[in-house]
Amino acid sequence: MLKRLSKYIKNLNIKKKTTIKDIANVLNISPAAVSKALHDDSRISEKTKKAVKQVAKNLNYQPNHLASALRKGKSHLVGVIVPRTNSNFFSSVIQNIEEELDKEGYNIIITQSNESYKKECRNIDTLLFTQVDGIIASMANETINLDYYEKIKSKGIPLILFDRGENDLNVDYIGINDYDSSHMIVEHLVQQGCKRIAHIGGYKRTRIFNNRIRGYIDALKKHNLSLEDELLIESNLTIEDGREKMSQLLALKNKPDAVYVAGDYAALGALQILNEQGIKIPEDIALVGFGNEPFTAMVTPSITSINQHSAEIGKQAAKTFLEHAKKSVVKQQLNKIILDAELIVRDSSNIKNS
């Protein structure tokens, strides 16, 4: 046996992956017997099991989880798609999804779209090929066509959306009340004495950003504040966008006295421009972000922001998948879990205490 083992170890230099057949050839037994031994089948003797596992270790054998998933109909893998992983919000959601699913023996595969529709489609194809048992996703900014998400549903795989989702898909959704959050922000700024409030938002085509824009517009109307096209700007909400759009607002003849930004990274870019131009915050211009990223409490001045309860969103998304996993047939419908947002007031908008 040692000679045969030595031969196969040498062959590993040119072979890509050890198979069950390789282990069988070393031990001169059938591949079926090897498979049973690796799965601790009671019909295989302890001596054979020990020999099989030792050879498997020596040959660096790795099980083919995809083949196993195809046989069993379950992979115990869940795909997670996020627009980006360098955000505290998304990393916190991922962490809490993983912690909840780990308790039930599931592992997660994390993919990021980088806000690209094409990459998001490739991510979905990869996860489906990997035979995941479910997909938990937050859509990319570019995503308008929902065909790939319909593809997930057509496979009978549970689809759970969080933060960014579309009602038309008729699946579970977990997020905060974006419309009410905008109302909350405008109310706060009005209470601080602001009358000309600008909004650097995301793109209207994305439901959550459309809801934030609608909330902003309706809150202005409620307080009889003028809505001007030049004060409402759509963007990708990157740091660079925040810098560019704030510069655009500062170039106006009639500048705003407050700016509500629909994402903390863009709010950071806006803050940089205000500081660079020596504008007093919040006395000259108040600033509010969205997302409660850790840096919002560390910069000067600290940035008022909306807490999206990322940990709870992650837990609820995982629990929703687990409920589907218990059922033999997946029947999905529009079911929303909407969490109340919280405004964290900091120095950037606290005019009355500045």
Side-chain angles (χ1 to χ4, degrees):
M1 187 184 90
L2 287 175
K3 287 183 178 179
R4 287 198 298 272
L5 181 58
S6 176
K7 173 187 172 184
Y8 273 94
I9 290 175
K10 286 180 181 177
N11 286 341
L12 284 178
N13 293 327
I14 55 173
K15 285 186 68 174
K16 288 185 178 179
K17 191 172 182 180
T18 302
T19 66
I20 283 178
K21 192 177 287 187
D22 294 322
I23 300 170
N25 286 337
V26 170
L27 295 169
N28 202 23
I29 59 178
S30 72
V34 172
S35 179
K36 289 173 184 175
L38 290 171
H39 289 90
D40 283 318
D41 193 302
S42 59
R43 291 169 290 181
I44 302 296
S45 70
E46 290 303 317
K47 181 180 178 181
T48 301
K49 287 179 186 177
K50 186 176 179 181
V52 166
K53 289 174 183 178
Q54 185 58 54
V55 172
K57 182 179 178 181
N58 291 339
L59 293 179
N60 196 26
Y61 169 72
Q62 297 293 327
N64 187 332
H65 290 294
L66 180 56
S68 177
L70 287 169
R71 286 194 305 272
K72 298 176 182 177
K74 274 215 177 253
S75 64
H76 279 84
L77 296 172
V78 175
V80 178
I81 305 172
V82 294
R84 57 186 183 276
T85 55
N86 66 343
S87 152
N88 182 69
F89 171 74
F90 288 117
S91 61
S92 174
V93 171
I94 290 169
Q95 178 185 342
N96 283 276
I97 288 173
E98 194 278 332
E99 287 176 359
E100 289 297 317
L101 294 184
D102 181 64
K103 296 173 187 175
E104 302 298 325
Y106 286 90
N107 289 311
I108 65 172
I109 300 174
I110 304 165
T111 67
Q112 64 175 354
S113 64
N114 288 324
E115 304 289 10
S116 163
Y117 169 69
K118 287 185 178 179
K119 189 170 184 191
E120 187 173 72
C121 293
R122 292 200 302 272
N123 289 343
I124 291 171
D125 276 338
T126 299
L127 293 173
L128 292 177
F129 177 78
T130 313
Q131 301 289 316
V132 292
D133 294 335
I135 292 178
I136 301 172
S138 183
M139 291 180 174
N141 262 340
E142 288 184 4
T143 300
I144 300 172
N145 188 319
L146 302 178
D147 287 352
Y148 264 73
Y149 282 100
E150 291 289 357
K151 185 177 180 180
I152 298 169
K153 289 176 62 182
S154 71
K155 302 282 186 184
I157 296 171
L159 170 63
I160 295 92
L161 299 177
F162 72 91
D163 187 47
R164 305 183 196 172
E166 290 299 332
N167 293 346
D168 292 345
L169 280 168
N170 289 312
V171 297
D172 295 275
Y173 171 80
I174 299 97
I176 63 166
N177 193 319
D178 292 285
Y179 179 86
D180 284 355
S181 296
S182 283
H183 264 270
M184 196 185 306
I185 291 168
V186 173
E187 288 280 351
H188 164 68
L189 292 170
V190 169
Q191 288 169 9
Q192 299 301 307
C194 300
K195 298 184 183 302
R196 188 170 166 78
I197 304 168
H199 180 44
I200 300 173
Y203 289 107
K204 287 179 185 175
R205 62 176 179 249
T206 304
R207 188 189 56 79
I208 63 165
F209 296 124
N210 185 37
N211 286 342
R212 289 175 197 178
I213 289 170
R214 287 193 309 106
Y216 159 76
I217 291 171
D218 288 351
L220 290 184
K221 290 177 181 176
K222 176 185 174 183
H223 292 282
N224 297 314
L225 297 176
S226 61
L227 171 64
E228 300 174 32
D229 290 342
E230 63 186 9
L231 295 181
L232 176 55
I233 307 171
E234 296 178 44
S235 75
N236 270 320
L237 296 174
T238 62
I239 292 177
E240 293 73 21
D241 283 324
R243 291 180 62 87
E244 178 188 336
K245 304 311 180 187
M246 181 55 84
S247 297
Q248 185 178 325
L249 290 169
L250 292 179
L252 295 175
K253 186 176 180 180
N254 190 8
K255 297 179 181 61
D257 58 9
V259 180
Y260 154 35
V261 189
D264 280 339
Y265 282 91
L268 177 61
L271 179 71
Q272 290 172 352
I273 291 296
L274 291 172
N275 282 334
E276 288 168 14
Q277 297 201 17
I279 292 169
K280 293 179 182 178
I281 312 165
E283 294 87 350
D284 295 338
I285 296 180
L287 181 68
V288 178
F290 205 110
N292 201 35
E293 291 286 335
F295 63 76
T296 56
M298 302 173 190
V299 294
T300 303
S302 54
I303 302 173
T304 295
S305 191
I306 288 282
N307 181 4
Q308 293 179 267
H309 302 299
S310 55
E312 187 60 24
I313 287 175
K315 288 175 184 176
Q316 291 295 334
K319 288 176 180 177
T320 301
F321 161 75
L322 291 170
E323 284 299 313
H324 283 296
K326 293 174 186 175
K327 300 169 185 173
S328 55
V329 178
V330 176
K331 291 182 180 179
Q332 290 200 258
Q333 59 185 11
L334 181 60
N335 179 38
K336 292 184 176 183
I337 298 175
I338 304 297
L339 307 174
D340 291 329
E342 175 188 10
L343 183 66
I344 310 296
V345 178
R346 299 193 178 98
D347 295 340
S348 69
S349 70
N350 202 0
I351 299 172
K352 292 186 176 178
N353 290 328
S354 62

